[in-house]
Amino acid sequence: MRIAIVGAGALGLYYGAMLQRAGNDVSFILRRDYEAIRTNGLHVYSVDGDFHLERVKGYKTASEIGEVDLVIVGLKTFANHMFGELISPLVGKQTIIVTLQNGLGNEEALATHFGADRIIGGVAFLCANRGVPGVVHHLGEGRIIIGEYHGNEIGRVSTLAGIFNDSGIPCRAVAELKKARWEKLVWNIPFNGICALMGRTVDILLRHQETRKLIFDIMIEVIDAGNAQDVKEKIKPQFAENLIAFSEGLGPYKPSMLIDRMEGRQLELEAILKIPLTLAKESGVHMPKVEELYALLDLSETENKV
Amino acid sequence: MRIAIVGAGALGLYYGAMLQRAGNDVSFILRRDYEAIRTNGLHVYSVDGDFHLERVKGYKTASEIGEVDLVIVGLKTFANHMFGELISPLVGKQTIIVTLQNGLGNEEALATHFGADRIIGGVAFLCANRGVPGVVHHLGEGRIIIGEYHGNEIGRVSTLAGIFNDSGIPCRAVAELKKARWEKLVWNIPFNGICALMGRTVDILLRHQETRKLIFDIMIEVIDAGNAQDVKEKIKPQFAENLIAFSEGLGPYKPSMLIDRMEGRQLELEAILKIPLTLAKESGVHMPKVEELYALLDLSETENKV
């Protein structure tokens, strides 16, 4: 299968490497890692075993790649305005586009550009960071849940799930992705948000009783908002407690938004906080603590610090 | 009148200077400004006109001063555990102690040490910063509201108000101070809290729509909590809007908690946020946004930043 990875951060590099190792024909659009990968290939340091791909197809532009069967989008959501430029040359009649991006609004944006029919949504539960150029660290997890953006056909996503599973990426096809999206937000909103705002890792947040309580409160707000989104199966409040217990195991983990902040990148506030806030409000759910977190993060993006 | 100033930050220096200029016998307990004031006196740069006190009684300890008629406490609240050491030598049979400190819990702590009868509470609305040693900047405002801690006798506080007024410090004596304390918290909690947390001045917070909205929401929470404290006259919601309009005029003002943060001092979280949160809870009022602000500020006091 011809696959193109658009947005080759930690997520794109890791999943692309797994798919290539399993025999797929994978091309990456690269920026920071271009030289390193062209010269030395791609190193994956993984909790499941390290491996090295000696020859990796890395390109600077999509037009060098041309049409593919599958586009995997791992782009930072604040770069969604570049969808046209980065993806159009890859899209032929049969091309499927899967977004594994954070937060909400990505399928919609892709559908506007390329038509709803070819869009598949995905939610990735992956702990990975980039290392030096040419290196990606897989710290844990990795499973993906995918579902059609348009309608609830299960056939095509099941086939795609097979390709991921055959590559060692646990993948489940579902008829409705919405619940999984909101479940991921239940983690992403408090941990990405507070870690980035405060410049602290996951373990410090959890060690600190007041913040731990705040995380729990935010999780409950997000669960209530998610459950108001016309999902078939509700997220249970117990999910918050389980997620906090799970996060204990992450240690001094840096969520992607903290890394974005540390490396001077923009934060994914729109997809991870603002759109969920808007949807919650539209469905009559008030999320005061998420609202405050968003306001402070948004302020933190302005540079006028004393 | 023999007056001692305990806690000679911007507030203590300014009010002490005003009282001395009017002819009172004022002694200051000094730390940072000791050398400068002993050598060059005290310079007040004020919106109401600059002045210079050539000879100022500055001491390092209270025992050098001995008993006085009036102790004015301007200490940072996180130093309240030093009340015994800093104030005891100043207290004789007739000595009155007025606290002009921020937040809640100060009268109670003073009463525990020195008896409730001699304690007078005060709320100062003052915009002042310290300059280089020996210099205090009075940027605006300055009025004080005072009231008995114990009971609602108005006689003694009226006399004291007269002394302040005679010194050019607008002062009003009230039978109940609680409302004024909470009114000050309506400003202090959002502006001190957010400015310190985010390292931004008042004008930046107000320019930023999301934060402006957050400030308003927090103000309403504090007003509701204050009104639940068995105050005779309620604070009106309109007070929040007026306060925001007033704050527009402050420009790039740095609230005291932001200055504390910039100068590496502890933050007055207990007096300004934690005690109000506890009292609100006890009276059945939930302040979710204040709670979040407190959790984040409390976290910000831990040093483990990445």
Side-chain angles (χ1 to χ4, degrees), chain A residues 97 107 109-120 149-150:
Chain A
I97 303 175
E107 288 96 331
L110 287 165
T112 305
H113 275 88
F114 309 109
D117 285 346
R118 64 170 90 249
I119 311 302
I120 291 176
Y149 165 61
H150 204 59

Side-chain angles (χ1 to χ4, degrees), chain A residues 128-189:
Chain A
N129 293 165
R130 290 197 301 183
V132 295
V135 172
V136 61
H137 296 278
H138 171 222
L139 309 171
E141 298 292 300
R143 69 196 167 87
I144 295 175
I145 300 175
I146 54 174
E148 292 287 346
Y149 165 61
H150 204 59
N152 47 17
E153 248 297 323
I154 197 82
R156 186 169 67 165
V157 279
S158 295
T159 310
L160 185 60
I163 294 165
F164 281 116
N165 280 308
D166 291 346
S167 307
I169 304 164
C171 183
R172 190 157 58 91
V174 295
E176 188 201 63
L177 194 66
K178 214 182 265 178
K179 189 189 173 197
R181 278 241 174 275
W182 279 88
E183 280 183 342
K184 189 172 177 190
L185 286 171
V186 175
W187 196 89
N188 264 346
I189 290 178

Side-chain angles (χ1 to χ4, degrees), chain B residues 27-172:
Chain B
S27 299
F28 298 80
I29 302 181
L30 301 174
R31 229 173 17 174
R32 191 200 71 157
D33 294 50
Y34 181 80
E35 293 298 340
I37 284 179
R38 294 281 283 209
T39 315
N40 299 313
L42 177 55
H43 289 268
V44 179
Y45 295 109
S46 168
V47 286
D48 300 330
D50 306 340
F51 63 95
H52 175 226
L53 302 176
E54 209 166 324
R55 297 182 66 91
V56 172
K57 293 184 176 173
Y59 303 93
K60 286 199 165 170
T61 63
S63 45
E64 298 167 65
I65 302 173
E67 290 182 16
V68 296
D69 304 310
L70 175 66
V71 178
I72 296 179
V73 185
L75 212 61
K76 291 285 175 186
T77 52
F78 52 74
N80 283 3
H81 63 278
M82 296 174 74
F83 277 162
E85 175 191 339
L86 290 174
I87 299 175
S88 296
L90 307 169
V91 177
K93 250 186 184 162
Q94 303 297 324
T95 306
I96 294 173
I97 303 175
V98 182
T99 167
L100 298 179
Q101 297 171 280
N102 270 324
L104 304 181
N106 306 303
E107 288 95 333
E108 289 77 358
L110 286 166
T112 304
H113 275 87
F114 309 108
D117 284 346
R118 62 171 90 250
I119 310 303
I120 291 177
V123 182
F125 299 87
L126 173 71
C127 297
N129 294 163
R130 290 196 301 182
V132 295
V135 172
V136 62
H137 296 278
H138 171 222
L139 309 171
E141 300 291 300
R143 69 196 166 88
I144 294 176
I145 299 175
I146 54 174
E148 292 288 346
Y149 166 59
H150 205 60
N152 46 17
E153 248 298 321
I154 198 82
R156 186 170 68 165
V157 280
S158 294
T159 308
L160 185 60
I163 295 165
F164 281 116
N165 280 309
D166 289 347
S167 306
I169 303 163
C171 183
R172 190 157 56 92

Side-chain angles (χ1 to χ4, degrees), chain A:
Chain A
M1 190 173 223
R2 289 208 65 201
I3 300 172
I5 307 289
V6 176
L11 178 142
L13 288 174
Y14 173 70
Y15 287 130
M18 293 292 281
L19 289 161
Q20 174 175 333
R21 187 175 65 161
N24 292 289
D25 176 9
V26 181
S27 299
F28 299 80
I29 303 180
L30 300 172
R31 228 173 18 171
R32 191 200 70 156
D33 294 50
Y34 181 81
E35 294 297 341
I37 284 179
R38 295 281 283 210
T39 315
N40 300 312
L42 177 55
H43 289 267
V44 179
Y45 296 110
S46 168
V47 286
D48 301 330
D50 306 340
F51 64 94
H52 176 228
L53 302 176
E54 208 166 324
R55 297 182 67 92
V56 172
K57 292 185 176 172
Y59 302 94
K60 287 201 164 169
T61 62
S63 46
E64 298 165 66
I65 301 173
E67 290 181 15
V68 296
D69 304 311
L70 175 66
V71 179
I72 296 178
V73 185
L75 212 60
K76 291 285 176 187
T77 52
F78 52 75
N80 283 3
H81 62 278
M82 296 173 74
F83 277 161
E85 175 190 339
L86 290 174
I87 299 175
S88 296
L90 306 169
V91 177
K93 250 186 185 159
Q94 304 297 324
T95 306
I96 293 172
I97 303 175
V98 182
T99 166
L100 298 179
Q101 297 170 280
N102 271 325
L104 305 180
N106 305 303
E107 288 96 331
E108 290 77 358
L110 287 165
T112 305
H113 275 88
F114 309 109
D117 285 346
R118 64 170 90 249
I119 311 302
I120 291 176
V123 182
F125 299 88
L126 173 71
C127 297
N129 293 165
R130 290 197 301 183
V132 295
V135 172
V136 61
H137 296 278
H138 171 222
L139 309 171
E141 298 292 300
R143 69 196 167 87
I144 295 175
I145 300 175
I146 54 174
E148 292 287 346
Y149 165 61
H150 204 59
N152 47 17
E153 248 297 323
I154 197 82
R156 186 169 67 165
V157 279
S158 295
T159 310
L160 185 60
I163 294 165
F164 281 116
N165 280 308
D166 291 346
S167 307
I169 304 164
C171 183
R172 190 157 58 91
V174 295
E176 188 201 63
L177 194 66
K178 214 182 265 178
K179 189 189 173 197
R181 278 241 174 275
W182 279 88
E183 280 183 342
K184 189 172 177 190
L185 286 171
V186 175
W187 196 89
N188 264 346
I189 290 178
F191 280 106
N192 271 287
I194 302 174
C195 287
L197 182 71
M198 303 301 295
R200 265 85 173 175
T201 49
V202 164
D203 54 337
I204 291 172
L205 267 51
L206 289 175
R207 214 153 58 208
H208 197 268
Q209 283 316 307
E210 302 286 342
T211 326
R212 193 187 176 95
K213 164 84 165 52
L214 173 61
I215 287 166
F216 182 79
D217 291 347
I218 289 178
M219 285 181 166
I220 295 296
E221 286 186 3
V222 181
I223 289 173
D224 288 345
N227 287 340
Q229 301 308 309
D230 191 26
V231 285
K232 286 192 193 75
E233 200 195 330
K234 303 292 178 195
I235 309 170
K236 295 182 186 69
Q238 180 62 35
F239 185 72
E241 279 164 48
N242 296 347
L243 215 47
I244 287 180
F246 157 79
S247 305
E248 294 277 12
L250 294 179
Y253 182 63
K254 297 185 186 75
S256 62
M257 199 182 276
L258 171 57
I259 294 178
D260 289 340
R261 172 56 53 89
M262 289 167 67
E263 297 185 353
R265 276 191 297 277
Q266 207 180 322
L267 306 184
E268 297 188 282
L269 300 185
E270 175 103 5
I272 296 182
L273 288 116
K274 197 178 177 185
I275 298 178
L277 270 167
T278 306
L279 291 178
K281 202 173 179 181
E282 284 171 9
S283 52
V285 176
H286 186 36
M287 303 199 286
K289 292 194 173 175
V290 176
E291 201 174 70
E292 174 162 0
L293 184 58
Y294 173 65
L296 295 173
L297 282 162
D298 196 38
L299 177 68
S300 78
E301 290 276 69
T302 69
E303 281 309 311
N304 328 47
K305 221 172 159 181
V306 289

